[in-house]
């Protein structure tokens, strides 16, 4: 795996508390749709972070287990959701037995997985006919001020996966192995579900500060970038006081065929 994505995906632990406080959860309707085709209630939240998706899975009645590689993120999850089984692990080496879950969900994490290795691992722990779904909270850039915010912030802060106009294309291969490797899952279905979060300028800037591209910036670049975003938001009539950020939860859902499709199986 390239060094740059590896550095980005390992950057969150240093901001675990801020991530837990400021990142949005996921639209319950999106989570229910992600699980609609699963053969049962056993769900693995893979790359669970601080439990933003886990808490919604609990709320919709799933029998959820969380797996997260970063110790600081996992500690936040355990502190906030002490009743959820949560363990250290990663998509490329899942600490569960074969066929023990009916669905694997990944909130803002599927794109970090090395699917050459993670694909067979996810397929291994899934029941035949089980579901894999990636979920992303995306900004609705059909709204003028949101589109302008993305331009002002820049792609390190608001990238293609973060926008309604581009998340589908940006995640189209997220569930696929490298070219030439056998596919583990059937063709995807995608959908978006209206979501939102009440914000102030300060809390929105704090949320954007937890993005991977911001976390790996130098302190000077980070402050310059966030100051630019803050100045933009303070100058917009739509973001005076408290306001709703127009957002949707996008879901990419695939199914593990009843037959095993990986050559290693």
């Amino acid at each position: 795996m390239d060094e740059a994505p590896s550095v980005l995906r390992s950057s969150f632990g240093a901001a675990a508390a801020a991530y837990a406080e400021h990142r949005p959860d996921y639209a319950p309707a999106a989570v229910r749709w992600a699980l609609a085709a699963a053969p049962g209630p056993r769900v693995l939240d893979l790359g669970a972070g601080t439990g933003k998706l886990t808490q919604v899975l609990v709320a919709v009645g799933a029998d959820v287990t969380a797996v997260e590689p970063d110790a600081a993120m996992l500690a936040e999850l355990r502190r906030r959701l002490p009743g959820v089984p949560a363990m250290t692990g990663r998509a490329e080496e899942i600490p569960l037995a074969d066929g023990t879950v009916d669905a694997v969900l990944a909130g803002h994490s599927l794109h970090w997985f090395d699917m050459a290795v993670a694909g067979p691992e996810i397929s291994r722990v899934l029941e035949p006919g089980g579901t894999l779904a990636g979920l992303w909270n995306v900004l609705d850039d059909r709204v003028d001020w949101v589109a302008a915010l993305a331009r002002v912030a820049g792609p390190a802060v608001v990238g293609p996966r973060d926008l309604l106009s581009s998340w589908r294309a940006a995640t189209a291969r997220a569930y696929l192995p490298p070219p030439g490797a056998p596919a583990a899952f059937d063709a995807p279905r995608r959908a978006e579900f209206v979501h939102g979060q009440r914000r102030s300028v300060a809390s929105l800037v704090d949320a954007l500060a937890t993005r991977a591209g911001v976390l790996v910036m130098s302190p000077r670049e980070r402050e310059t970038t966030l100051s630019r975003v803050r100045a933009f938001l303070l100058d917009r009539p739509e973001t005076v006081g408290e306001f709703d950020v127009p957002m949707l939860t996008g879901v990419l859902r695939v199914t593990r065929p009843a037959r095993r499709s990986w050559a290693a199986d």
Side-chain angles (χ1 to χ4, degrees):
M1 179 173 291
D2 292 343
E3 182 179 359
S6 180
V7 170
L8 286 169
R9 73 174 181 172
S10 64
S11 64
F12 297 109
Y19 192 106
E21 181 177 357
H22 297 297
R23 282 292 185 104
D25 60 5
Y26 297 84
V31 174
R32 285 191 287 267
W33 186 84
L35 297 174
R42 301 168 303 167
V43 181
L44 167 61
D45 183 357
L46 187 56
T50 63
K52 290 294 184 176
L53 176 57
T54 317
Q55 66 189 21
V56 185
L57 285 165
V58 171
V60 302
D63 177 10
V64 59
T65 298
V67 168
E68 164 58 35
D70 186 273
M73 301 285 273
L74 187 61
E76 281 290 332
L77 188 154
R78 287 171 169 160
R79 184 174 69 83
R80 291 168 181 268
L81 298 165
V84 174
M87 59 193 75
T88 301
R90 55 196 183 94
E92 297 80 9
E93 192 173 2
I94 300 171
L96 297 178
D98 295 3
T100 51
V101 297
D102 302 297
V104 174
L105 267 60
H108 275 275
S109 59
L110 185 61
H111 53 273
W112 298 122
F113 301 166
D114 178 0
M115 289 304 288
V117 183
E121 271 290 274
I122 293 169
S123 182
R124 177 185 65 77
V125 302
L126 273 174
E127 275 286 324
T131 295
L132 167 65
L135 295 89
W136 292 268
N137 283 319
V138 297
L139 297 171
D140 189 350
D141 55 342
R142 296 172 299 185
V143 178
D144 287 346
W145 78 262
V146 175
L149 170 64
R151 292 191 296 270
V152 168
V157 184
V158 181
R161 285 191 302 266
D162 303 316
L163 295 171
L164 177 62
S165 63
S166 50
W167 84 270
R168 289 191 176 208
T171 61
R173 292 194 58 83
Y175 72 101
L176 291 170
F185 305 100
D186 289 340
R189 296 183 64 190
R190 298 179 180 86
E192 294 98 10
F193 299 84
V194 174
H195 197 23
Q197 193 173 42
R198 195 73 176 163
R199 292 292 196 185
S200 65
V201 168
S203 68
L204 180 52
V205 172
D206 285 341
L208 294 173
T210 68
R211 298 294 179 92
V214 178
L215 293 173
V216 299
M217 289 177 178
S218 69
R220 183 179 216 172
E221 183 184 8
R222 185 181 307 119
E223 180 53 38
T224 298
T225 299
L226 295 178
S227 293
R228 184 172 68 244
V229 171
R230 188 179 299 108
F232 166 81
L233 292 170
L234 289 171
D235 195 46
R236 295 290 303 207
E238 302 92 338
T239 54
V240 172
E242 289 195 342
F243 54 91
D244 290 317
V245 178
M247 188 169 61
L248 301 93
T249 299
V251 187
L252 181 157
R253 188 181 78 194
V254 293
T255 301
R256 178 196 185 280
R259 68 190 184 284
R260 289 186 178 270
S261 57
W262 284 83
D265 287 351

